[in-house]
Amino acid sequence: MQDQVAQLAFVTIASVLEQAYFSMQVIWARRKYKISPPNTSGHPAFDRVLRAQLNCTEYLPIFLSTLWVAGIFFHQGLAALCGLLYLYARYKYFHGYAASALLRLWPMYFSASFLWLLTGLSLLGLLDFFLRSYCGVHIKQNWLMG
């Protein structure tokens, strides 16, 4: 069983570590710009770091949900690859946004494309599962071999 989810688990832990890194960046920016909690604004550079971290956190549940569903119902390796590319794009997004709001755009679109891809793979995998289970139709097998 572990070999069936190991790649997904690796990407999940990588996403946790990435989120921890983003959180640490906010802490360091608070210290650098002398912005104590509970304040959430101040220096524009701090505001961008905080907003980048919050945006990444807001998308994490969507990412993890689609990663696991796509990995379990469609293909673990493809989902893990998409997940790693998503995390790379989020890293670039975070640092782009920290530098300038405009520099966040291409990584934002790049990461969104992988969320949509994971969503599509999830839906295809689930559709295949339900059609196979209840109708005897194997669309994924036919699609991959056809």
Side-chain angles (χ1 to χ4, degrees):
M1 152 96 178
Q2 290 176 332
D3 59 329
Q4 296 172 344
V5 296
Q7 294 170 21
L8 302 175
F10 175 81
V11 174
T12 299
I13 293 302
S15 72
V16 168
L17 293 173
E18 185 176 65
Q19 288 297 310
Y21 169 78
F22 294 157
S23 295
M24 291 303 300
Q25 296 299 306
V26 172
I27 291 169
W28 292 328
R30 281 188 180 281
R31 290 177 184 159
K32 180 177 181 179
Y33 298 108
K34 296 178 176 52
I35 300 171
S36 298
N39 294 329
T40 57
S41 64
H43 193 280
F46 168 76
D47 294 348
R48 288 192 307 272
V49 169
L50 179 63
R51 192 65 241 159
Q53 185 265 338
L54 292 172
N55 286 349
C56 291
T57 301
E58 290 166 357
Y59 278 90
L60 188 62
I62 297 167
F63 166 66
L64 290 175
S65 300
T66 57
L67 172 74
W68 278 88
V69 174
I72 291 170
F73 288 93
F74 192 83
H75 189 276
Q76 178 186 201
L78 182 56
L81 177 63
C82 289
L84 290 173
L85 290 169
Y86 173 83
L87 293 178
Y88 171 75
R90 277 286 141 174
Y91 179 84
K92 298 300 277 182
Y93 168 87
F94 182 89
H95 286 286
Y97 203 164
S100 163
L102 290 176
L103 292 177
R104 81 190 195 290
L105 293 177
W106 86 259
M108 179 181 69
Y109 297 131
F110 191 62
S111 65
S113 67
F114 286 104
L115 279 182
W116 281 111
L117 182 56
L118 286 168
T119 300
L121 296 174
S122 296
L123 290 170
L124 280 173
L126 286 168
L127 179 63
D128 177 67
F129 172 78
F130 288 121
L131 287 175
R132 188 172 20 94
S133 296
Y134 299 108
C135 303
V137 176
H138 301 270
I139 61 168
K140 191 169 78 172
Q141 181 181 354
N142 293 338
W143 179 61
L144 292 174
M145 298 212 180

